[in-house]
């Protein structure tokens, strides 16, 4: 029995699904290949190899025969279809955790692993190397990860590590970053499926739903609120879905006809930009090199150095492949499953399913100029001139975004990059990380900047702009946006989108942010997606942060974070009815649903109930999260991080 399972079942499961699918998809592939030369509608590109390996009813029936145990085989069964469940939320109960009687036995996890083709990982925290009471203890490896701790790649290459460990409970920090002398699993998941096929996602979704396990999805782990962590969870790790394909002429269901790119959900910005460069096109991604393109970034809206030109990342999506909460694999476009297509373009990650790939628009190669410069208070005559220099920037926001430009700046009072709130510190600095002028030459960019630079000159600010131009976006992006780190637990941020209304920016309260518009000047934004409407009228996205240090107590962390939440009232007051960018926001945001989702929220919530009636998917701040609470075990209020059992909200 055991030998048969390990050698036979997984193979037969995968093979039967693969052959069934490749047979049924063969004609689709052919018609897509032909689409570039004929007018035949082919709104969906061919599936990637891993997407053709699917769990079918037939494969499940074969598995059931092999298992010969109905209790076991039911654990992997598909869920009821979306039409047969009503009032699903009423059935919510606390998620099962390790140690509970209902937690699956080791033998069951082993069977799950065999069905997955051995892609189940039992993860340990990265920094366990540093703690003598862990069997992983290894002083050399500890010093290696300690020196790399603030390097993002250390964390996105790990099955469970995240960029902001504050939200998993900073339970196992590397030496020098620790505030205790202990290492625990915290909210790092208990098991991880290192997925490479749709069948594995389907098995994981079915297994978690049927057993009432907490389920999380981790792509790169960049989320500002640590959404891909969860205590006691089963995690689906999408990092290795690295397939990509370019279609010079693609006809989409929404009428778009032009170049397009299909990206596996594990593709990161640098990979998408490099692929776009060799394909002689431009695609929309974030500024950060290692952030995913086809994951939480796009689902949450996604802002880009090219947004003032081409709009939000979610606006670019033409088709998506998704495993829904019932375990079924579907395609969503503006014509097929259009409600799902609407929801996942702006409604956030981890809501109703796991996306395996996105097909996005591509644009012609775009000559681009970037400009980088900075000054500190000592480069200005006095504090008054320093603040006037910043106001002169604000005076030009509208002209900049109306020209399709974007700017990413820091304004603070210390050497740390993020804005700080240290009372009394007057060592002010302004840094334009990158002013991006798409489709402009250096002389054109200078002309655009002239009114601002004239004002700086009149204020006697000394600064030396560095201009950088290339005939394609990739090459300027690569030098103008240095690699950003991860792994720190000493900052708490909040976000606000500021609209075009002048009075909203004249108070000069910004600390760090962007001049950016979510309505590109070169395109019409789609009206059928769930992007927060405040983006369409935005002139600025502001991120405010406060900091503490690695040894700070939870009480200090808690106090400082409340300070940010409250300080943000200043920006909320001058931008009534606007909102906050969910992917870079504060999980304590007041009226969070309205701030993150705007008028779209009621429909998003309804779709959440329709497609995920049992509440399989959960992430702090995600659609429907208000029905749940994380019973945090750190000395913090509930739902302040992911380090606790997930239960329906008690009142
Ligand atoms: C250094 C840095 C730079 C950034 N730059 C930008 C920027 O320029 N523009 C911008 O808009 N944002 C930016 N962000 C924010 C970024 O958009 C969010 O961190 C986003 O959540 C990252 O998505 P991810 O899939 O890479 O990461 P993850 O943290 O792994 O995932 C984020 C959320 O999406 C869910 N998710 C991921 N993949 C899937 C999937 N396939 N199916 C279902 N759910 C999924 C996860 O469960 C999680 O809830 C930046 C963040 C950092 C830390
Ligand atoms: C079937 O599997 C369940 C779960 O592992 C186990 O408890 C039960 O004993 C098995 N039944 C038989 C008949 O083996
Ligand atoms: C959900 O149910 C509707 C019928 O109400 C059906 O048309 C649709 O295909 C179903 N969607 C999924 C993803 O199962
Ligand atoms: C669903 O909820 C509504 C409103 O609360 C109630 O009237 C209805 O009877 C419920 N239906 C079922 C099947 O429980
Ligand atoms: C954590 O910090 C303490 C003191 O701050 C130190 O003594 C201890 O060795 C550290 N532990 C680890 C594993 O780094
Ligand atoms: C995850 O799977 C990929 C292949 O898809 C493999 O290269 C990688 O080593 C695996 N990682 C772990 C930690 O098992
Ligand atoms: C991109 O342009 C170069 C130079 O014109 C050309 O050699 C190459 O084939 C093009 N690549 C694609 C994918 O069109
Ligand atoms: C870029 O500029 C050229 C002329 O300078 C213009 O023809 C083209 O439409 C512009 N492209 C975009 C995307 O605005
Ligand atoms: C700038 O410097 C000039 C010449 O030194 C001086 O006349 C002028 O008053 C200064 N302006 C400001 C705003 O400091
Ligand atoms: C700030 O600008 C000066 C030139 O004015 C430059 O020499 C310096 O490298 C810049 N600093 C950073 C951190 O880019
Ligand atoms: C860290 O912050 C605490 C207050 O939270 C303070 O007492 C301590 O001196 C700080 N340590 C360092 C190294 O700055
Ligand atoms: C946190 O704030 C509370 C209430 O204002 C205060 O009593 C306490 O001293 C603060 N603790 C720290 C460590 O700052």
């Amino acid at each position: 029995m055991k030998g048969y399972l390990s050698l036979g079942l997984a193979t037969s499961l995968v093979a039967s699904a693969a052959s069934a699918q490749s047979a049924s998809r063969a004609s689709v592939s052919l018609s897509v290949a032909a689409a570039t030369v004929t007018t035949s509608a082919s709104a969906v590109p061919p599936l990637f190899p891993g997407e053709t390996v699917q769990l079918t009813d037939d494969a499940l029936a074969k598995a059931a025969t092999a298992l010969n145990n109905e209790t076991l085989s039911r654990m992997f069964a598909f869920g009821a279809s979306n039409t047969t469940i009503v009032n699903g939320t009423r059935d919510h109960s606390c998620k099962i955790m390790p140690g509970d009687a209902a937690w699956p036995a080791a033998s069951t996890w082993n069977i799950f692993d065999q069905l997955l083709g051995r892609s189940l990982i039992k993860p340990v925290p990265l920094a366990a190397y540093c703690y003598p009471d862990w069997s992983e203890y290894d002083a050399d490896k500890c010093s290696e990860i300690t020196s790399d701790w603030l390097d993002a790649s250390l964390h996105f290459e790990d099955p469970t590590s995240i960029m902001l460990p504050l939200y998993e409970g900073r339970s196992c920090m590397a030496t020098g970053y620790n505030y205790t002398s202990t290492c625990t699993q915290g909210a790092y998941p208990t098991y991880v499926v290192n997925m490479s096929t749709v069948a594995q996602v389907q098995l994981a979704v079915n297994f978690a739903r049927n057993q009432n396990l907490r389920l999380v999805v981790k792509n790169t782990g960049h989320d500002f609120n640590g959404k891909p962590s969860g205590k006691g969870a089963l995690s689906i790790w999408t990092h290795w879905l690295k397939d990509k394909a370019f279609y010079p002429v693609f006809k989409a269901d929404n009428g778009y006809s032009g170049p397009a790119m299909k990206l596996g959900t594990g593709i990161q910005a640098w990979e998408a930009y490099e692929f776009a460069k060799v394909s002689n096109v431009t695609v929309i991604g974030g500024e950060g090199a290692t952030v995913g393109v086809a994951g939480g970034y796009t689902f949450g809206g996604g802002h880009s150095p090219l947004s003032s030109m081409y709009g939000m990342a979610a606006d670019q999506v033409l088709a998506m492949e998704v495993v829904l909460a019932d375990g079924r694999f579907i395609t969503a476009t503006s014509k097929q499953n259009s409600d799902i297509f609407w929801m996942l373009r702006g409604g956030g990650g981890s809501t109703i399913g796991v996306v395996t790939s996105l097909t996005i628009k591509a644009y012609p190669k775009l000559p681009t100029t970037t400009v980088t410069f900075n000054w500190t208070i000592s480069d200005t005559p006095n504090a008054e001139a320093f603040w006037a220099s910043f106001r002169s920037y604000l005076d030009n926001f509208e002209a900049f975004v109306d020209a399709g430009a974007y700017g990413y700046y820091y304004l603070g009072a210390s050497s740390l990059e993020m804005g700080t709130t240290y009372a009394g510190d007057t060592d002010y600095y302004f840094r334009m990380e990158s002013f991006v002028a798409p489709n402009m030459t250096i002389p054109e960019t200078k002309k655009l900047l002239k009114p601002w630079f004239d004002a700086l000159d009149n204020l006697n600010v000394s600064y030396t702009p560095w201009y950088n131009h290339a005939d394609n976006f990739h090459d300027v992006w690569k030098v103008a946006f240095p690699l950003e780190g991860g792994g720190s637990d000493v900052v708490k941020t909040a976000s606000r989108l500021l609209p075009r209304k002048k009075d909203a920016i004249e108070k000069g309260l910004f600390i760090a942010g962007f001049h950016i518009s979510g309505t590109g000047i070169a395109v019409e934004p789609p009206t059928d997606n769930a992007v927060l409407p405040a983006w369409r009228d935005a002139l600025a996205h502001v991120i405010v942060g406060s900091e503490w240090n690695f040894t700070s107590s939870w009480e200090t962390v808690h106090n400082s974070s409340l300070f940010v939440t409250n300080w943000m009232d200043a920006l909320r007051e001058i931008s009534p009815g606007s909102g906050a960018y969910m992917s870079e926001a504060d999980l304590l945001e007041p009226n969070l649903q309205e701030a993150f989702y705007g008028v779209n929220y009621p429909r998003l919530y309804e779709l959440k109930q329709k497609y995920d009636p049992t509440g399989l998917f959960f992430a702090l701040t995600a659609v429907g999260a208000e029905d749940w609470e994380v019973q945090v075990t750190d000395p913090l209020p509930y739902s302040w991080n992911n380090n606790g059992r997930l239960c329906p909200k008690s009142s």
Side-chain angles (χ1 to χ4, degrees):
M1 176 75 178
K2 201 158 187 256
Y4 176 61
L5 269 180
S6 56
L7 297 171
L9 178 60
T11 324
S12 74
L13 179 72
V14 162
S16 60
S19 58
Q21 282 308 311
S22 55
S24 76
R25 278 282 174 168
S27 57
V28 177
S29 320
L30 286 175
S31 71
V32 170
T36 56
V37 290
T38 72
T39 57
S40 77
S42 57
V44 183
L47 294 179
F48 287 139
E51 291 178 323
T52 65
V53 182
Q54 297 170 15
L55 187 67
T56 58
D57 291 313
D58 187 44
L60 272 183
K62 284 195 177 121
T65 307
L67 287 167
N68 192 25
N69 178 327
E70 208 187 319
T71 309
L72 275 177
S73 51
R74 265 204 232 116
M75 294 184 179
F76 304 100
F78 287 110
S81 95
N82 70 55
T83 52
T84 57
I85 297 179
V86 282
N87 298 353
T89 45
R90 298 182 160 214
D91 304 329
H92 292 174
S93 57
C94 292
K95 302 291 180 182
I96 302 303
M97 297 247 290
D100 292 351
W103 181 256
S107 58
T108 303
W109 285 103
N110 186 34
I111 285 167
F112 178 44
D113 188 21
Q114 291 178 52
L115 291 173
L116 290 166
R118 296 290 179 201
S119 69
L120 192 65
I121 297 170
K122 188 136 196 334
V124 292
L126 247 180
Y129 293 132
C130 302
Y131 293 83
D133 56 332
W134 283 71
S135 60
E136 287 74 18
Y137 178 70
D138 180 329
D140 290 342
K141 285 188 175 157
C142 173
S143 51
E144 236 173 78
I145 62 142
T146 294
S147 59
D148 290 348
W149 191 254
L150 300 181
D151 181 342
S153 61
L154 181 71
H155 305 283
F156 70 69
E157 282 167 3
D158 183 79
T160 58
S161 199
I162 55 174
M163 303 298 160
L164 289 107
L166 195 61
Y167 302 102
E168 68 75 25
R170 47 186 195 148
S171 68
C172 187
M173 301 293 287
T175 304
Y177 300 95
N178 64 313
Y179 81 104
T180 65
S181 297
T182 58
C183 169
T184 61
Q185 192 73 20
Y188 294 120
T190 303
Y191 282 100
V192 177
V193 176
N194 182 14
M195 66 150 305
S196 55
T197 70
V198 161
Q200 290 165 337
V201 180
Q202 293 176 297
L203 279 165
V205 160
N206 286 349
F207 185 68
R209 189 194 58 250
N210 293 333
Q211 271 61 245
N212 195 25
L213 307 180
R214 186 168 177 183
L215 182 73
V216 300
V217 182
K218 183 193 170 194
N219 187 24
T220 66
H222 274 91
D223 193 82
F224 270 42
N225 289 309
K227 284 160 73 173
S229 62
K231 193 178 192 66
L234 171 64
S235 173
I236 296 174
W237 187 31
T238 62
H239 176 62
W240 292 101
L241 288 185
K242 293 287 192 183
D243 307 77
K244 52 193 188 304
F246 174 60
Y247 301 95
V249 182
F250 180 78
K251 288 177 195 304
D253 268 348
N254 66 359
Y256 173 84
S257 176
M261 224 170 237
K262 174 165 164 163
L263 302 177
T265 189
I267 292 284
Q268 292 165 282
W270 95 83
E271 296 166 308
Y273 291 156
E274 274 177 16
F275 187 48
K277 184 189 172 184
V278 301
S279 308
N280 302 321
V281 294
T282 310
V283 292
I284 306 308
E287 55 81 25
T290 64
V291 175
V293 175
Y297 162 78
T298 291
F299 308 146
H303 67 74
S304 168
L306 299 177
S307 284
S308 303
M309 191 72 165
Y310 289 127
M312 305 295 289
D315 298 346
Q316 317 306 325
V317 182
L318 302 168
M320 50 176 75
E321 304 291 344
V322 194
V323 174
L324 292 176
D326 63 5
R328 301 291 177 179
F329 182 54
I330 60 123
T331 297
T333 70
S334 63
K335 286 192 184 147
Q336 307 175 51
N337 297 299
S338 57
D339 53 355
I340 294 170
F341 190 58
W342 175 83
M343 179 177 193
L344 296 184
R345 289 175 304 144
S350 199
T351 51
I352 57 168
V354 181
V355 172
T356 57
S357 66
L358 295 182
T359 301
I360 62 171
K361 287 186 198 174
Y363 297 96
K365 186 153 95 172
L366 192 66
T368 304
T369 298
T370 62
V371 197
T372 300
F373 47 94
N374 64 76
W375 60 83
T376 67
I377 190 165
S378 41
D379 298 316
T380 68
N382 49 45
E384 203 183 310
F386 179 89
W387 289 111
S389 71
F390 184 63
R391 273 195 302 275
S392 68
Y393 176 31
L394 305 185
D395 290 342
N396 285 283
F397 268 30
E398 197 150 8
F400 293 158
V401 305
D402 287 350
Y406 152 107
Y408 175 21
Y409 66 88
Y410 304 112
L411 174 67
S414 85
S415 58
L416 285 160
E417 284 189 326
M418 282 292 196
T420 63
T421 53
Y422 299 142
D425 191 338
T426 56
D427 187 16
Y428 305 132
Y429 74 95
F430 174 85
R431 176 171 169 78
M432 175 55 73
E433 182 65 47
S434 194
F435 184 99
V436 179
N439 206 25
M440 282 187 210
T441 60
I442 290 177
E444 285 165 345
T445 307
K446 285 183 171 164
K447 196 171 159 209
L448 178 64
L449 283 164
K450 189 166 189 302
W452 182 21
F453 284 1
D454 283 350
L456 294 179
D457 296 341
N458 288 335
L459 289 164
N460 294 337
V461 174
S462 85
Y463 61 98
T464 310
W466 170 59
Y467 294 89
N468 166 36
H469 180 86
D471 72 350
N472 69 90
F473 175 70
H474 168 272
D475 290 359
V476 284
W477 165 81
K478 197 168 170 165
V479 293
F481 290 93
L483 260 186
E484 291 167 315
S488 161
D489 65 356
V490 299
V491 64
K492 169 85 186 173
T493 54
S495 143
R496 194 72 186 168
L497 295 169
L498 298 184
R500 282 178 181 261
K501 283 194 328 201
K502 272 287 178 200
D503 66 317
I505 54 171
E506 271 173 358
K507 295 194 181 174
L509 288 161
F510 307 161
I511 293 198
F514 305 80
H515 75 253
I516 186 169
S517 160
T519 306
I521 59 166
V523 290
E524 280 292 315
T527 52
D528 68 337
N529 73 20
V531 169
L532 174 67
W535 268 112
R536 304 304 183 193
D537 189 39
L539 211 48
H541 162 41
V542 182
I543 301 174
V544 170
S546 94
E547 292 159 335
W548 46 88
N549 65 45
F550 292 112
T551 58
S552 297
S553 66
W554 278 117
E555 190 181 335
T556 299
V557 170
H558 187 206
N559 281 9
S560 306
S561 77
L562 285 176
F563 181 81
V564 179
T565 305
N566 296 333
W567 188 92
M568 213 58 186
D569 281 344
L571 295 188
R572 292 184 192 107
E573 271 159 28
I574 60 171
S575 58
S578 187
Y581 177 40
M582 74 173 83
S583 287
E584 299 181 328
D586 179 0
L587 55 73
L588 307 175
E589 177 71 28
N591 305 316
L592 184 147
Q593 284 72 32
E594 195 189 328
F596 288 13
Y597 305 96
V599 294
N600 294 325
Y601 198 70
R603 186 166 173 218
L604 289 168
Y605 186 80
E606 197 183 306
L607 289 170
K608 168 77 178 173
Q609 307 316 311
K610 176 177 176 188
Y611 289 110
D612 185 17
T614 66
L616 174 64
F617 289 95
F618 167 86
L620 288 170
T621 76
V623 174
E626 67 274 32
D627 294 336
W628 297 86
E629 66 194 12
V630 179
Q631 298 181 343
V632 172
T633 52
D634 298 314
L636 292 165
Y638 277 6
S639 297
W640 204 97
N641 69 21
N642 281 301
N643 194 13
R645 187 191 291 270
L646 183 61
C647 286
K649 198 150 207 164
S650 35
S651 59

